[in-house]
Amino acid sequence: AQSVTQLDSQVPVFEEAPVELRCNYSSSVSVYLFWYVQYPNQGLQLLLKYLSGSTLVKGINGFEAEFNKSQTSFHLRKPSVHISDTAEYFCAVSDISKIIFGKGTRLHILP
Amino acid sequence: DTAVSQTPKYLVTQMGNDKSIKCEQNLGHDTMYWYKQDSKKFLKIMFSYNNKELIINETVPNRFSPKSPDKAHLNLHINSLELGDSAVYFCASMRDGGGYTFGSGTRLTVV
């Protein structure tokens, strides 16, 4: 069975500062990894995904994530955040049959 | 063109009522899902169908009954609604290779 742990429930960060949202996963099989963003009162939007190949994955809105198999991590980063990045961010893992989500990290952008 | 569409977007109903949420995808995907997002934003899988066949049923009360008339549709019927059923319900579809597309969600409020 797979599981996903997002270590921080909330992350406050000043506007234009860098941010890292942490995600660790566990699985007994090869998995696909995802980051989704949910803006207030909106649905889920795919930020980026790792299926295979290069471990550094670039997504939309300037986000990127690095797959680290030895540390079973898939942390999300952005070098400079904007107020519009205020949202809930979900890390997820899939073994093809289903996608399992972490509990989410709320990103607060401070002016 | 909306890839995964859910109706209605909002649903307010009284305890004890029976209601349905509809989902349609025009992506040609074989697999569809229902997820529930509770008040703490936690996303949990409820059901998965592959080509009209039930694949996953994650210990959901039997008041919830999914129905898939064809592989492009997965509807969710809920009997005898309870206060605890209040949540946002997301439909999703998956293509082979792990690409998931989510609907915009149905916010169900039971009063």
Side-chain angles (χ1 to χ4, degrees), chain A residues 23-83:
Chain A
C23 173
N24 288 87
Y25 70 93
S26 66
S27 176
S28 57
V29 298
S30 295
V31 295
Y32 300 157
L33 295 160
F34 306 81
W35 276 97
Y36 283 84
V37 60
Q38 186 176 31
Y39 298 104
N41 298 313
Q42 301 285 314
L44 294 162
Q45 183 179 1
L46 179 67
L47 271 179
L48 48 80
K49 60 185 176 186
Y50 172 78
L51 302 182
S52 65
S54 172
T55 58
L56 183 62
V57 181
K58 292 191 183 297
I60 62 172
N61 301 342
F63 284 93
E64 64 179 32
E66 184 152 21
F67 170 58
N68 188 319
K69 189 174 182 179
S70 62
Q71 297 186 5
T72 59
S73 68
F74 191 56
H75 301 333
L76 181 71
R77 301 185 184 97
K78 186 170 182 177
S80 175
V81 297
H82 301 110
I83 196 75

Side-chain angles (χ1 to χ4, degrees), chain B:
Chain B
D1 286 340
T2 304
V4 179
S5 60
Q6 297 178 226
T7 54
K9 191 173 174 63
Y10 300 97
L11 183 54
V12 181
T13 188
Q14 290 186 327
M15 283 175 54
N17 283 352
D18 302 339
K19 290 293 179 185
S20 292
I21 307 171
K22 295 185 177 181
C23 179
E24 176 182 3
Q25 55 100 358
N26 62 5
L27 299 166
H29 294 170
D30 286 335
T31 308
M32 296 184 71
Y33 304 83
W34 278 108
Y35 282 80
K36 179 180 180 181
Q37 185 174 42
D38 63 22
S39 58
K40 295 184 178 179
K41 301 289 187 184
F42 184 46
L43 280 152
K44 186 174 180 183
I45 188 169
M46 299 174 70
F47 300 104
S48 165
Y49 267 73
N50 182 279
N51 206 6
K52 303 192 296 178
E53 187 176 335
L54 180 65
I55 303 297
I56 295 174
N57 181 342
E58 290 278 332
T59 60
V60 176
N62 57 16
R63 298 182 295 103
F64 290 79
S65 53
K67 287 188 171 51
S68 183
D70 55 61
K71 75 173 195 177
H73 295 83
L74 181 61
N75 304 322
L76 183 65
H77 188 76
I78 315 170
N79 289 326
S80 304
L81 278 155
E82 300 177 357
L83 292 176
D85 298 331
S86 295
V88 181
Y89 292 85
F90 286 99
C91 178
S93 71
M94 182 193 72
R95 64 168 174 80
D96 291 343
Y100 294 84
T101 304
F102 284 83
S104 57
T106 296
R107 184 176 294 275
L108 171 65
T109 304
V110 183
V111 298

